[in-house]
Amino acid sequence: VWRFVTYTFLHAGSVHLVLNIIIQILVAFPLETEQGHGKVLLVYFAGIVAGGLGASVFEPTLMVGASAGVYCLLISHIPHITLNFRTLSYRYYRLIAVLMLCISDVMYSIRHCLTKGNIQPRIGVAAHVSGAVCGLLVGFVIYRSKVEPDASKAIVMFRSLRYLAAVLLLAWLGCTVLYNLDRSHRAWMESDRQNRPLESEREPFLACGGSGSEGSETSSLEYELLCTEELKEKARIFAIDLERGRKRSENGTTRIEITEQLITGSGSSK
């Protein structure tokens, strides 16, 4: 569970780390001054969790970096500007800046995937998209307007957007969590099935266990006991072979001869 959060504290290198820090400061500073530190921190970590969940569904592989949280902060500017459009200064320039950053990064990602096959470095497209979608939804849920709108229609519209965003966010979160739980359960069942003995190995022991559910329990127990006894017998034979080899070594037998006898099993046969 912790991997859905702790991956953001790891980076592919110093350049990756410094680039994420610079973009994060530039994107988060205006939001912190207008919405508060607590709300922006909550939005940031919501984007991190959303990026981890999205990557686990669409790109289940190793992932590092804080890009999902940065994308969440970046796109959360849209609901922030929408809710405070009348009171924000330079609102048009801020909206254009957000759109330009998004479009430029999308174009770079497309070019990187087409020319280099998304390797060196590998871009976590699923994490980026999931963080961006989370920023759009969670921004309407968490952010508030500094001045209440005068028109009742505007109030109804903002509340409707908040409720719709909350429903979509919870639905997406529930689907991704259930998908991961189901996949973990299937992986556990597959691992348990591979660790069980084959039916062909169990058939000789099932025959002596009787019939019905009671017979199946008895046969399973007998199978485990017989396997244990077989291992004990092999260990005993191996100990005898070692003792014989030690005595022969004391009588002048070379170590090479002892090793050949142990490998070929001549000691146990004699």
Side-chain angles (χ1 to χ4, degrees):
V1 175
W2 61 87
R3 293 181 179 179
F4 291 106
V5 178
T6 54
Y7 78 91
T8 191
F9 302 111
L10 304 175
H11 287 77
S14 57
V15 176
H16 187 202
L17 175 62
V18 172
L19 184 62
N20 270 338
I21 290 175
I22 293 174
I23 298 176
Q24 183 175 324
I25 292 174
L26 294 176
V27 171
F29 181 74
L31 293 173
E32 290 183 352
T33 57
E34 295 165 354
Q35 290 289 342
H37 304 289
K39 293 179 181 178
V40 175
L41 183 65
L42 186 59
V43 171
Y44 176 71
F45 276 100
I48 290 171
V49 175
L53 290 172
S56 67
V57 175
F58 299 104
E59 288 181 334
T61 182
L62 298 177
M63 180 179 63
V64 294
S67 299
V70 173
Y71 267 90
C72 186
L73 291 177
L74 177 63
I75 302 301
S76 69
H77 275 271
I78 295 177
H80 170 65
I81 294 173
T82 303
L83 295 173
N84 299 277
F85 190 77
R86 294 189 307 166
T87 59
L88 288 179
S89 57
Y90 307 106
R91 49 187 176 269
Y92 292 106
Y93 295 105
R94 293 176 65 170
L95 185 60
I96 292 173
V98 171
L99 294 177
M100 288 182 62
L101 283 174
C102 293
I103 294 173
S104 61
D105 192 80
V106 169
M107 296 300 294
Y108 170 77
S109 299
I110 294 174
R111 178 181 176 276
H112 180 73
C113 293
L114 293 177
T115 58
K116 296 185 178 181
N118 197 17
I119 56 176
Q120 295 181 357
R122 188 186 66 83
I123 299 174
V125 179
H128 291 184
V129 174
S130 299
V133 173
C134 179
L136 182 64
L137 297 178
V138 79
F140 281 110
V141 176
I142 295 178
Y143 291 158
R144 293 293 183 269
S145 176
K146 294 188 293 184
V147 178
E148 288 294 330
D150 299 331
S152 58
K153 291 183 178 180
I155 297 175
V156 173
M157 183 184 68
F158 288 158
R159 288 181 178 177
S160 301
L161 288 174
R162 182 171 295 117
Y163 294 148
L164 179 62
V167 170
L168 293 176
L169 186 63
L170 290 176
W172 181 82
L173 180 64
C175 291
T176 52
V177 170
L178 290 176
Y179 175 83
N180 280 277
L181 290 175
D182 180 69
R183 189 177 63 180
S184 300
H185 178 70
R186 290 176 181 272
W188 179 81
M189 292 293 292
E190 181 67 19
S191 176
D192 183 66
R193 185 185 65 82
Q194 292 179 357
N195 292 331
R196 290 178 182 176
L198 298 175
E199 293 296 329
S200 59
E201 298 176 355
R202 296 172 60 94
E203 285 177 358
F205 305 102
L206 292 174
C208 62
S211 58
S213 60
E214 182 179 358
S216 61
E217 294 177 357
T218 305
S219 62
S220 299
L221 179 59
E222 289 178 355
Y223 177 78
E224 294 177 1
L225 291 175
L226 287 171
C227 288
T228 305
E229 292 298 329
E230 184 179 357
L231 290 175
K232 289 181 179 179
E233 182 65 20
K234 289 182 178 180
R236 187 182 66 82
I237 294 174
F238 185 69
I240 293 174
D241 290 342
L242 287 178
E243 183 64 23
R244 290 177 179 176
R246 186 182 63 81
K247 291 181 179 180
R248 290 180 181 179
S249 178
E250 293 176 356
N251 294 331
T253 308
T254 61
R255 295 181 179 273
I256 299 176
E257 181 184 352
I258 298 171
T259 306
E260 292 176 353
Q261 290 175 357
L262 292 175
I263 293 174
T264 57
S266 61
S268 61
S269 63
K270 294 179 181 180

